[in-house]
Amino acid sequence: MKKNLTQYLVEQQRTKGTVTADVRLLLETVARACKAIGHAVSKGALGGVLGSLESENVQGEVQKKLDVLSNEILLEANEWGGNLAAMASEEMDTLHRIPEYYPKGDNLLLFDPLDGSSNIDVNVSIGTIFSVLQVPEEARQRDIQEIDFLQAGYKQVAAGYAVYGPQTMLILTVGDGVASFTLDKEMGSWVLTSERLCIPEDTAEFAINMSNMRHWEPPVKRYIDDCLQGVEGPLGKNYNMRWIASMVADVHRILTRGGVFMYPRDKRASVREGKLRLMYEANPMSMLVEQAGGMSIDGVQRILDIQPTGLHQRVGVILGSKNEVARVLKYHTADTN
Ligand code: P6P
């Protein structure tokens, strides 16, 4: 009999002490919300949820109907459980405090409710990314402020994503490796399908949006040029390329078979600090990748060590197979020596 998510989390709580009871309940609530989001996504045109709204989010991006619906599903599911002090989301300008009339807890939940929105209307895999932090001791007797969220990624107590693709899967870490669960849609349960995902240390597959080549900084340009020279080039092997333009889908491929994912900062004003968001995209994905034996940097430093300065701060992201990311790091540090 395969374990389900609850059994996995109870084992983590009781035998390994990696999660507290309230984090376990929080993760089960988030997983339940992801089932509801996946159900809404799967309806597509039949659910009247495709297309865009007139509104824009804090990032200045046009919001898809499903972006807003997914955000509402996560807020409503998590408001009343008693294990959170506040939430933050890509779709909300600022934090969302737990209403006075609900019990509160000492955890903070951050999420990108539906990552890869540009793929929704063309039926390509998308996903939900989430991160759990704890309320700092000094903030536990007062109202939560935005600054209480601004903790380096190594302080996360849990991180994960749901990917809505051919299978609906939940990928989760509580600090003891990375487990994967597949949704049994007949029973409505998340069934444990891998107890410990492991990223191959080497790869010959890179993921980057090549249309941005003219904007890249020199180290990225040199690395990709060397990859494209194949076996005759300095890297001595032929590389393959993938770019799904859904971080969840690209990272899922890397957790499954290795590779290197790159969304580096570049010369465009809007991407000067990077495109992806640190708190609810790069940090949770970096915790997963490191827990699966990979590496995750912004180009020059470990992403999980970055001290955040803003809730919606952007960052360059280069993550995946350890030896390949270390190679990309060398291209960057060689530039500064
Ligand atoms: P581009 C999706 O909008 C996203 O935030 C990530 O999921 C994805 O990796 C990236 O942007 C794709 O960006 O510029 O290739 O469309």
Side-chain angles (χ1 to χ4, degrees):
M1 170 77 171
K2 280 189 178 292
K3 277 184 226 168
N4 62 29
L5 175 65
T6 300
Q7 290 165 315
Y8 173 83
L9 288 173
V10 165
E11 193 176 281
Q12 285 291 333
Q13 178 193 345
R14 292 203 181 135
T15 61
K16 303 195 175 174
T18 47
V19 287
T20 58
D22 69 340
V23 169
R24 171 169 68 80
L25 287 171
L26 170 59
L27 292 172
E28 288 180 306
T29 305
V30 171
R32 200 162 35 251
C34 289
K35 275 195 284 190
I37 293 171
H39 181 65
V41 164
S42 69
K43 285 185 179 172
L46 301 180
V49 291
L50 296 183
S52 301
L53 299 167
E54 300 309 310
S55 55
E56 284 188 355
N57 62 17
V58 64
Q59 329 287 344
E61 295 165 341
V62 172
Q63 288 180 300
K64 299 282 189 184
K65 290 177 189 168
L66 272 171
D67 282 329
V68 173
L69 175 62
S70 304
N71 195 61
E72 286 165 2
I73 289 171
L74 281 160
L75 291 179
E76 286 161 21
N78 286 288
E79 271 190 328
W80 51 272
N83 36 49
L84 280 178
M87 293 181 256
S89 164
E90 177 187 276
E91 299 303 328
M92 301 188 299
D93 294 3
T94 186
L95 75 160
H96 176 91
R97 291 190 184 90
I98 299 302
E100 277 311 306
Y101 45 82
Y102 284 135
K104 292 170 192 52
D106 290 332
N107 300 293
L108 301 171
L109 178 65
L110 303 92
F111 46 83
D112 178 355
L114 203 57
D115 177 71
S117 305
S118 58
N119 282 319
I120 294 176
D121 297 350
V122 294
N123 197 20
V124 169
S125 299
I126 51 184
T128 298
I129 309 171
F130 57 90
S131 168
V132 181
L133 291 167
Q134 297 197 301
V135 175
E137 281 300 327
E138 70 275 11
R140 297 193 175 182
Q141 306 313 322
R142 59 164 170 77
D143 274 352
I144 292 296
Q145 306 298 330
E146 196 165 294
I147 193 167
D148 300 320
F149 281 85
L150 303 186
Q151 302 175 40
Y154 69 83
K155 292 188 175 175
Q156 293 173 103
V157 293
Y161 62 81
V163 51
Y164 313 115
Q167 304 100 46
T168 295
M169 293 186 75
L170 180 76
I171 310 299
L172 175 69
T173 183
V174 293
D176 176 37
V178 178
S180 77
F181 302 84
T182 302
L183 181 62
D184 174 342
K185 292 184 180 175
E186 290 165 60
M187 298 294 290
S189 57
W190 292 105
V191 178
L192 183 68
T193 37
S194 171
E195 192 117 24
R196 197 168 289 278
L197 291 180
C198 187
I199 301 177
E201 293 188 348
D202 296 297
T203 184
E205 187 165 74
F206 65 84
I208 195 167
N209 183 335
M210 294 292 279
S211 69
N212 297 328
M213 185 180 287
R214 65 190 181 283
H215 305 303
W216 294 340
E217 295 179 335
V220 173
K221 181 74 172 59
R222 272 204 318 281
Y223 169 67
I224 296 297
D225 281 347
D226 287 352
C227 290
L228 295 177
Q229 290 179 54
V231 67
E232 295 83 25
L235 304 185
K237 53 185 173 180
N238 294 325
Y239 278 74
N240 189 31
M241 195 208 95
R242 287 285 182 274
W243 187 248
I244 304 174
S246 265
M247 186 185 199
V248 169
D250 281 311
V251 171
H252 189 72
R253 184 190 58 255
I254 285 167
L255 280 167
T256 308
R257 73 183 193 209
V260 58
F261 170 92
M262 302 175 75
Y263 211 114
R265 61 178 188 224
D266 66 35
K267 298 169 192 158
R268 290 173 290 177
S270 62
V271 191
R272 196 73 213 96
E273 300 307 318
K275 171 177 183 183
L276 303 176
R277 292 79 172 183
L278 174 62
M279 297 305 296
Y280 40 78
E281 288 175 332
N283 273 344
M285 290 308 203
S286 298
M287 182 178 182
L288 288 164
V289 164
E290 287 197 1
Q291 284 288 321
M295 187 174 173
S296 180
I297 61 174
D298 66 353
V300 293
Q301 66 178 315
R302 182 185 181 227
I303 283 180
L304 292 182
D305 287 339
I306 295 174
Q307 176 53 47
T309 53
L311 198 53
H312 301 292
Q313 170 177 349
R314 296 174 188 265
V315 68
V317 179
I318 297 161
L319 60 77
S321 293
K322 184 167 61 172
N323 295 339
E324 198 69 17
V325 175
R327 185 199 308 278
V328 179
L329 177 62
K330 280 205 193 93
Y331 278 77
H332 283 78
T333 45
D335 240 32
T336 50
N337 291 343

